[in-house]
Amino acid sequence: MTRRILSIALDTPLDTEFDYRWAGSAADEAEPQCGQFALVPFGRREAVGLIVAVKDDTDVDSGRLRDVIAVRRQLAPVQPDWIALCRFAADYYQRPLGEVVLPCVPKNLRTNTTVALERALKKLAQARPAAMPADAVSQRPTLNEEQQAAVDAIIAGTGFQAHLLFGVTGSGKTEVYLNAAECLLEREREAGRPAQVLILVPEINLTPQLETSVRGRFPQLQVVTLHSQLAEGERLRNWIAAHHGQAQIVLGTRLAVLASLPALKMIIVDEEHDPSYKQQEGLRYSARDLAVWRAHQQRVPVVLGSATPSVESWLHAGSGRYRKLALTQRAAAAAQLPRVGLIDMEVNKAPDGISPPLVAALRERLARGEQSLLFLNRRGYAPVLHCDACGWISNCRRCTAFMVLHKPERRLRCHHCSLELRVPVSCPTCGNVDLQPLGRGTQRVEECLHGLFPDARVLRIDADSTRRKGSAQAAFDSVHRGEVDILLGTQMVAKGHDFQRLTLVGVLNPDTALFSQDYRAGERLFAQLMQVAGRAGRAGGAMRSDVLIQTRYPQHPLYRALMAHDYAGFAESTLAERRAAGLPPFIHQALLRAEAKTLQAALDFLASARELVSHEGVTLNEPVPMTITRVAGVERAQLLLESPSRPRLQAFLRQWMHALRATKSRLRWSLEVDPVDI
Ligand code: ADP
Ligand code: ZN
Ligand code: ZN
């Protein structure tokens, strides 16, 4: 019986793998393999880690190593490619391997018992793929020429190719995904090879239509979903189904890009520009970027779909690194893109936030029995409560932010630290009872709509109205059933819904994003407005639809491009500005953030971090307070790094992180590579 030494990656900030001894127990027990999970003692507790190397025990000193407690043999080992993917993510985002590998597997796999694992395996062994009821099996439209050309291009190649599927809203991108997936799976089946397709979506819960379409189209295949809102048991079962290759289609949010998929043959990233592909805590990865890397690693095609691609992807499509496939028309018969008009708010005064032309447009829709959507990206009743007498305003005492008035709940809420107070009956400083709400959120617009159209059925959808599980779905269903005349909401309503009777979209107060100090705000606003505008006029027929944007800057180039449905023009001018200003994607960035009790401590930490390692070819800017400096009583500062060379930045970061960890500072800090919110 040979003894072995196992190198194990564990979920700890220590940037190393840990050696354990495997003494070999029962004679018939197979030797542990690389890629298996194992339970080991770690400090005073037990932890599950991943075996990343198995070595001969020739070391006389190995006696001081601790023994492995148990190897999870029930589960097939993960493949070397999957470990390589995690290792790439770990290196690129400057984290220890264990902090990538363990958080991305289901929690129930990381516990010190195997009860959940065994239960999941048993259930999976019993499960037969559920047959779809006949009416759920979807109709398939005949592809139009552009769709067919896109499908042909995607399945034509062998090996890696990134495709940018640039299709206007309603152009039928979903049909392209489904047909490409179908052709590819069919081809692999005929060749007798196992195959899996990964489909990434920004948010499954907001857009269940895609899941329905996928299941409807592939009733004979096993389709599983992977996202953070699944119950733990189901998440584990789905993860294992993917890992064992049983699930041929895996539909998931960003975390699914790190699923174990031994037979991966294609990746689809729907709405590739969406900010939710960026993880904002822990391993701050971009699922879109990892999807492209993974497709390259597996030598398979990846399809990035959007009506408003990220300017990074647009740049790659321009340079030929990605292949551009365009869908220029709406797919459904006679469906047209909506007319986009601007309402000049310097001319049209709107005391309640809805201008007379918009009121008139809403009235027309009500008269014709059509639906309208109002988009305002600000929840609550008013962003601030204010005392005219003494100047008091509703500051959060724990954050550099205002507390938002939530009138129906009679609460002041901080959206940053979630502090909640009852609305004061009088001014806390001077006693004035006449406190004024300043500005406007969705609740206030809802109130105003009830006043303007007492007979209309108004529905508000935002994070507050949909707190209960399933309530968002129920709300959207009632819109689809035609039980709502005016839908009002935040970005939650902008995502991929196919509302059939919607002929008017009104946009309230989008101007603030035009002057944001975040250089990506314009790009994001354009995408958001294009997407919300895309909810209108999807059915076609005689219903001509309008998008009306209330703005004080009707001459702004962003709105001009939007009126012309000219994403390409907008992207080109944005890229030209970024190039001139030396901003991404023409430069590479990383951001070091520090948190402390005092701002000075955070700034001092960053200042000393700046001096740690020489940094030729990398610019380290002055440390500065973050825009919202204090959140929940913690002061926050950041240091921006820039380099024209990605490899140089990467090499510097590796050294720098090493030096920073060695300082053993007690202060909380984190690094983000390719940051999106600066
Ligand atoms: P996108 O994702 O590009 O915004 P969808 O995939 O939601 O667009 O498609 C919009 C609508 O067009 C859907 O109702 C879909 O069923 C329909 N559609 C797609 N392709 C065709 C086609 N070739 N012929 C007719 N209708 C189609
Ligand atoms: Zn006062
Ligand atoms: Zn707060």
Side-chain angles (χ1 to χ4, degrees):
M1 195 159 49
T2 21
R3 300 219 293 208
R4 298 280 184 235
I5 295 178
L6 309 182
S7 285
I8 296 192
L10 289 162
D11 186 4
T12 109
L14 299 172
D15 194 7
T16 171
E17 281 127 37
F18 299 83
D19 282 351
Y20 287 88
R21 225 163 44 139
W22 180 75
S25 42
D28 57 344
E29 206 175 55
E31 283 202 15
Q33 295 175 41
C34 195
Q36 283 175 327
F37 290 89
L39 183 69
V40 295
F42 187 62
R44 261 174 286 165
R45 59 190 177 95
E46 295 176 352
V48 169
L50 178 71
I51 304 173
V52 291
V54 180
K55 297 175 278 194
D56 283 340
D57 185 359
T58 49
D59 188 350
V60 278
D61 236 14
S62 72
R64 68 193 163 77
L65 295 180
R66 300 169 82 181
D67 286 326
V68 169
I69 301 169
V71 176
R72 298 281 183 253
R73 289 197 171 75
Q74 302 88 331
L75 201 65
V78 294
Q79 295 196 335
D81 273 359
W82 186 77
I83 301 178
L85 168 72
C86 292
R87 210 179 271 289
F88 167 77
D91 290 346
Y92 187 79
Y93 295 110
Q94 308 293 333
R95 308 280 292 211
L97 179 63
E99 281 195 330
V100 177
V101 166
L102 279 316
C104 81
V105 301
K107 222 192 246 148
N108 280 347
L109 207 61
R110 289 179 266 142
T111 56
N112 52 5
T113 80
T114 54
V115 178
L117 176 59
E118 254 134 37
R119 193 186 307 132
L121 288 166
K122 199 163 137 205
K123 255 198 168 156
L124 276 171
Q126 292 164 346
R128 294 267 135 259
M132 286 293 283
D135 62 342
V137 176
S138 63
Q139 307 271 332
R140 56 177 63 213
T142 315
L143 297 187
N144 62 37
E145 268 176 41
E146 288 180 330
Q147 286 172 314
Q148 191 60 55
V151 172
D152 292 346
I154 295 165
I155 60 163
T158 53
F160 169 73
Q161 174 66 50
H163 302 272
L164 180 64
L165 181 64
F166 170 50
V168 300
T169 53
S171 59
K173 293 186 281 296
T174 312
E175 279 303 319
V176 173
Y177 304 150
L178 296 181
N179 279 276
E182 187 176 31
C183 292
L184 195 132
L185 290 170
E186 183 57 25
R187 191 164 72 195
E188 296 298 310
R189 196 185 61 80
E190 280 173 2
R193 289 188 294 254
Q196 294 179 299
V197 172
L198 171 65
I199 306 178
L200 297 178
V201 293
E203 271 157 288
I204 283 190
N205 294 330
L206 291 180
T207 51
Q209 279 169 14
L210 184 58
E211 185 178 347
T212 311
S213 312
V214 173
R215 290 187 190 279
R217 180 60 60 87
F218 301 105
Q220 74 291 6
L221 300 186
Q222 192 174 344
V223 177
V224 301
T225 57
L226 280 177
H227 54 92
S228 56
Q229 274 155 45
L230 287 178
E232 286 301 332
E234 191 177 9
R235 176 138 174 227
L236 179 60
R237 278 199 305 283
N238 292 359
W239 191 90
I240 296 173
H243 167 60
H244 284 174
Q246 283 161 285
Q248 284 124 323
I249 298 191
V250 176
L251 178 63
T253 53
R254 61 174 179 253
L255 59 87
V257 79
L258 288 167
S260 162
L261 299 162
L264 182 62
K265 291 288 152 43
M266 172 159 84
I267 307 180
I268 291 162
V269 185
D270 188 29
E271 307 291 357
E272 66 93 32
H273 65 279
D274 198 291
S276 31
Y277 284 121
K278 182 74 200 254
Q279 164 90 11
Q280 293 290 30
E281 56 191 30
L283 180 78
R284 292 178 161 83
Y285 63 94
S286 156
R288 179 198 56 220
D289 294 353
L290 286 182
V292 175
W293 192 90
R294 193 170 188 181
H296 186 262
Q297 177 202 36
Q298 297 299 311
R299 291 184 226 98
V300 301
V302 55
V303 181
L304 309 174
S306 178
T308 52
S310 62
V311 294
E312 284 83 357
S313 297
W314 190 257
L315 185 70
H316 292 327
S319 74
R321 249 176 86 178
Y322 295 176
R323 184 191 310 201
K324 184 163 40 165
L325 307 170
L327 307 179
T328 57
Q329 307 290 325
R330 284 203 159 169
Q336 287 176 13
L337 286 173
R339 210 162 25 198
V340 178
L342 303 175
I343 300 176
D344 185 346
M345 297 304 280
E346 292 293 341
V347 182
N348 290 280
K349 295 294 170 216
D352 331 297
I354 305 179
S355 62
L358 186 52
V359 172
L362 286 165
R363 189 156 282 138
E364 267 176 44
R365 267 53 185 201
L366 288 170
R368 290 205 296 262
E370 297 166 7
Q371 292 178 315
S372 306
L373 183 159
L374 290 189
F375 173 65
L376 171 61
N377 216 0
R378 176 176 273 166
R379 64 194 174 88
Y381 186 86
V384 192
L385 191 63
H386 175 247
C387 170
D388 279 342
C390 76
W392 173 86
I393 56 179
S394 56
N395 281 314
C396 175
R397 59 174 141 78
R398 307 170 65 203
C399 307
T400 27
F402 298 125
M403 295 197 74
V404 177
L405 174 63
H406 286 252
K407 198 173 169 189
E409 301 93 330
R410 295 207 204 88
R411 285 279 189 280
L412 288 177
R413 277 192 191 138
C414 174
H415 291 181
H416 298 278
C417 73
S418 63
L419 179 68
E420 242 185 74
L421 302 172
R422 212 171 300 139
V423 175
V425 281
S426 61
C427 174
T429 47
C430 78
N432 171 18
V433 292
D434 191 21
L435 294 175
Q436 295 298 319
L438 291 185
R440 203 164 280 105
T442 46
Q443 293 175 343
R444 194 169 188 179
V445 173
E446 182 185 18
E447 189 180 272
C448 160
L449 286 171
H450 284 307
L452 284 166
F453 310 107
D455 297 328
R457 296 165 299 175
V458 175
L459 180 70
R460 168 169 62 87
I461 298 187
D462 57 28
D464 299 307
S465 76
T466 54
R467 287 200 174 188
R468 266 179 310 108
K469 196 170 190 292
S471 57
Q473 190 47 43
F476 284 118
D477 287 346
S478 78
V479 182
H480 286 294
R481 282 196 304 267
E483 295 163 8
V484 173
D485 299 314
I486 304 177
L487 171 64
L488 158 72
T490 54
Q491 52 172 357
M492 280 181 76
V493 300
K495 306 257 160 157
H497 285 275
D498 208 1
F499 299 124
Q500 290 291 314
R501 298 198 53 79
L502 192 82
T503 62
L504 173 67
V505 170
V507 179
L508 309 177
N509 200 17
D511 289 340
T512 41
L514 297 177
F515 307 104
S516 163
Q517 49 177 310
D518 178 353
Y519 70 90
R520 281 176 213 267
E523 183 185 354
R524 232 176 259 154
L525 177 65
F526 189 91
Q528 211 167 44
L529 294 183
M530 196 79 136
Q531 200 164 34
V532 71
R535 296 314 104 214
R538 295 174 75 90
M543 297 197 286
R544 176 80 217 206
S545 57
D546 288 291
V547 177
L548 294 174
I549 300 174
Q550 296 192 161
T551 172
R552 290 171 55 210
Y553 306 92
Q555 299 308 326
H556 197 286
L558 187 148
Y559 294 135
R560 294 281 137 189
L562 204 66
M563 284 176 79
H565 296 280
D566 183 16
Y567 168 78
F570 173 77
E572 296 298 340
S573 65
T574 303
L575 282 169
E577 279 169 30
R578 299 258 187 100
R579 190 191 293 274
L583 287 167
F586 302 100
I587 199 153
H588 304 284
Q589 297 181 326
L591 196 65
L592 181 68
R593 295 196 177 89
E595 299 185 347
K597 283 215 177 72
T598 66
L599 182 57
Q600 199 54 52
L603 290 169
D604 287 349
F605 169 82
L606 296 175
S608 60
R610 207 167 164 230
E611 308 304 326
L612 272 180
V613 182
S614 76
H615 49 84
E616 212 178 315
V618 178
T619 308
L620 275 65
N621 291 286
E622 286 287 323
V624 290
M626 285 175 63
T627 316
I628 298 174
T629 312
R630 186 164 20 95
V631 168
V634 176
E635 305 284 347
R636 312 176 316 157
Q638 66 185 30
L639 188 167
L640 180 67
L641 294 79
E642 297 175 294
S643 176
S645 153
R646 203 197 287 275
R648 212 169 240 203
L649 179 61
Q650 282 283 320
F652 168 75
L653 290 176
R654 208 161 303 129
Q655 278 187 19
W656 198 41
M657 285 300 106
H658 198 74
L660 261 172
R661 286 193 189 101
T663 65
K664 301 217 182 324
S665 166
R666 300 254 287 287
L667 201 138
R668 273 180 61 116
W669 57 269
S670 61
L671 180 81
E672 180 170 356
V673 179
D674 304 333
V676 287
D677 286 308
I678 297 181

